[in-house]
């Protein structure tokens, strides 16, 4: 299973591609950021993000896309741009019919480090270990995108096993698909 | 000048098309809403908005697009969806190379009613008067989109006159184009 993780942002949109299945080592395929200049009109920045994410999907052909779920927080001046960028990410993936999942930051922390309140450094160290990298990719948005993709492989895999067990047990499924978009 | 006004929203995205120039009566060309069902995944809802807005532009060929500027307010549970929808609106217009302006709610109120703190009813009554309608279009999102389009015709027109005067006065222009996207 190949997952594209997207950490949405207007200035830096983190992107990370991970290959793998639950129970086997995961592999980093690619990582980076789609950048837009703060000096450009916001509409042009969003079009740049759209084109950038489209190019990542085109190149890596993921089986699923995991996008960080964005929450309204009054203490953030960048939240509107982040929300707009996340909307673009969702549309780019949905237009291609790709399964989309949204994971919250604490879900990602819990999946990767075992602690929903882990700090950046702990999560980063686990990303390096899980993907057997020599160093943590920079900037942080790129590393966060990898953590999202890892989370999705693991959660998606676990869910697939539950679904398979439920299907074997009989026609009455009580579990839900992980595609919680 | 033909302006498409867009009042972004995830459930109802208001759209209104107005023809006109400053100093002459304005005409409503069309008004409506792009609706999406709350039962659908958010990514599909955003794709529906994208297609809906694209169809409005395709049909009415506006010279410019005016989008309501969205602000982060912690008291709103729908603000993230509104921000995502506004991002889609900006991308749809920018992809076609259309000039885009964003106007705040108080700019719209001030332009249409002369009072930046006017209530919904006052603004609605002025939209009916300015466009010589028999009644206010419903829902409110549709009427708000018309108010945005009116605002843009008037602000754009005024700015065009200032630019023209500045151009006549000499090569040193101190004014900025109204395309504040």
């Amino acid at each position: 299973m190949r997952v594209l993780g997207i950490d949405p942002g207007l200035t830096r949109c983190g992107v990370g591609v991970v290959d793998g299945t639950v129970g086997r080592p995961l592999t980093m395929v690619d990582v980076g950021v789609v950048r837009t200049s703060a000096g450009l009109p916001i509409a042009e920045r969003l079009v740049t993000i759209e084109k950038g994410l489209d190019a990542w999907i085109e190149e890596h052909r993921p089986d699923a896309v995991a996008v960080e779920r964005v929450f309204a927080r009054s203490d953030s001046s960048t939240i509107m741009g982040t929300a707009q960028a996340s909307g673009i990410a969702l549309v780019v993936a949905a237009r291609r019919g790709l399964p989309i999942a949204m994971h919250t930051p604490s879900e990602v922390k819990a999946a990767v480090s075992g602690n929903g309140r882990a700090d950046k450094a702990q999560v980063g160290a686990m990303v390096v270990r899980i993907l057997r990298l020599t160093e943590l990719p920079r900037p942080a948005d790129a590393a966060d995108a990898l953590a999202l993709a890892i989370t999705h492989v693991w959660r998606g895999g676990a869910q697939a096993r539950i679904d398979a067990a439920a299907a074997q047990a009989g026609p009455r499924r009580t579990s839900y698909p992980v595609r919680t978009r």
Side-chain angles (χ1 to χ4, degrees), chain A residues 22 153-163:
Chain A
V22 177
V153 171
W154 285 352
R155 287 173 69 106
Q159 192 62 48
R161 287 204 308 280
I162 293 167
D163 289 349

Side-chain angles (χ1 to χ4, degrees), chain A residues 2 20 32 48 53 76 81 85 90 92 114 122 124 146 148:
Chain A
R2 174 167 292 188
T48 302
L53 295 180
S76 168
L90 294 174
V92 166
Q122 288 173 288
L146 288 176
L148 264 162

Side-chain angles (χ1 to χ4, degrees), chain A residues 2 4 50-62 92 96 98:
Chain A
R2 174 167 292 188
L4 169 64
E50 179 187 38
K51 287 182 184 159
L53 295 180
D54 244 340
W56 273 77
I57 292 178
E58 191 65 41
E59 182 176 350
H60 293 295
R61 304 275 172 186
V92 166
R96 290 170 179 259
L98 290 171

Side-chain angles (χ1 to χ4, degrees), chain A residues 7 68 109 117-125 136 140-141 144:
Chain A
D7 181 29
E68 184 169 304
K109 288 174 185 172
R117 294 180 170 197
D119 62 24
K120 282 264 176 204
Q122 288 173 288
V123 172
L136 186 65
D141 316 80
D144 288 347

Side-chain angles (χ1 to χ4, degrees), chain A residues 50-148:
Chain A
E50 179 187 38
K51 287 182 184 159
L53 295 180
D54 244 340
W56 273 77
I57 292 178
E58 191 65 41
E59 182 176 350
H60 293 295
R61 304 275 172 186
D63 302 304
V65 175
V67 181
E68 184 169 304
R69 191 183 290 277
V70 185
F71 293 101
R73 287 175 311 192
S74 55
D75 60 336
S76 168
S77 63
T78 60
I79 189 67
M80 301 313 289
T82 304
Q84 290 174 322
S86 80
I88 303 308
L90 294 174
V91 159
V92 166
R95 273 200 308 239
R96 290 170 179 259
L98 290 171
I100 303 167
M102 287 191 277
H103 303 293
T104 66
S106 58
E107 283 168 351
V108 172
K109 288 174 185 172
V112 172
S113 76
N115 172 9
R117 294 180 170 197
D119 62 24
K120 282 264 176 204
Q122 288 173 288
V123 172
M126 285 307 297
V127 166
V128 168
R129 233 165 109 175
I130 292 163
L131 298 176
R132 293 156 295 144
L133 308 176
T134 51
E135 59 178 353
L136 186 65
R138 308 247 167 232
D141 316 80
D144 288 347
L146 288 176
L148 264 162

